[in-house]
Amino acid sequence: MSSDEEIRSLLKQIEENQRTALGVQREHLDLAKEQLERSNQSIRESIELQRSAVARQSRLAKILLPIVGILLVLIVYLLIRWDIL
């Protein structure tokens, strides 16, 4: 009979260890979910910053390219007028 009691005791210990292991796994899963959410938030912020930078660059290009073109035309005009070309 003591063998049966010993087996029951061992089975109870195994069960307790499994419950403890499951609790630790839940904690790790919760931590992993939190880290994933933080990572996703960081990625969303990064994408938003990139979009705003691209939009800003596009606006600047629409303004600066015509100005640069006009300046180049004026330089060529001055060079022709002074007979340098």
Side-chain angles (χ1 to χ4, degrees), residues 8-64:
R8 283 184 188 160
S9 174
L10 289 173
L11 288 174
K12 285 181 181 181
Q13 287 177 353
I14 291 171
E15 183 181 18
E16 182 62 32
N17 289 339
Q18 287 179 336
R19 284 189 180 143
T20 303
L22 285 174
V24 170
Q25 286 176 350
R26 280 189 206 101
E27 290 174 8
H28 286 150
L29 182 59
D30 291 341
L31 179 61
K33 286 179 181 179
E34 289 173 11
Q35 289 174 340
L36 181 62
E37 183 55 38
R38 282 193 302 257
S39 176
N40 286 339
Q41 179 63 28
S42 177
I43 289 169
R44 285 191 292 269
E45 290 173 4
S46 174
I47 289 171
E48 186 58 36
L49 287 172
Q50 289 174 8
R51 284 184 180 151
S52 69
V54 167
R56 193 175 319 122
Q57 182 181 10
S58 176
R59 284 191 305 256
L60 283 174
K62 289 178 183 177
I63 294 170
L64 292 178

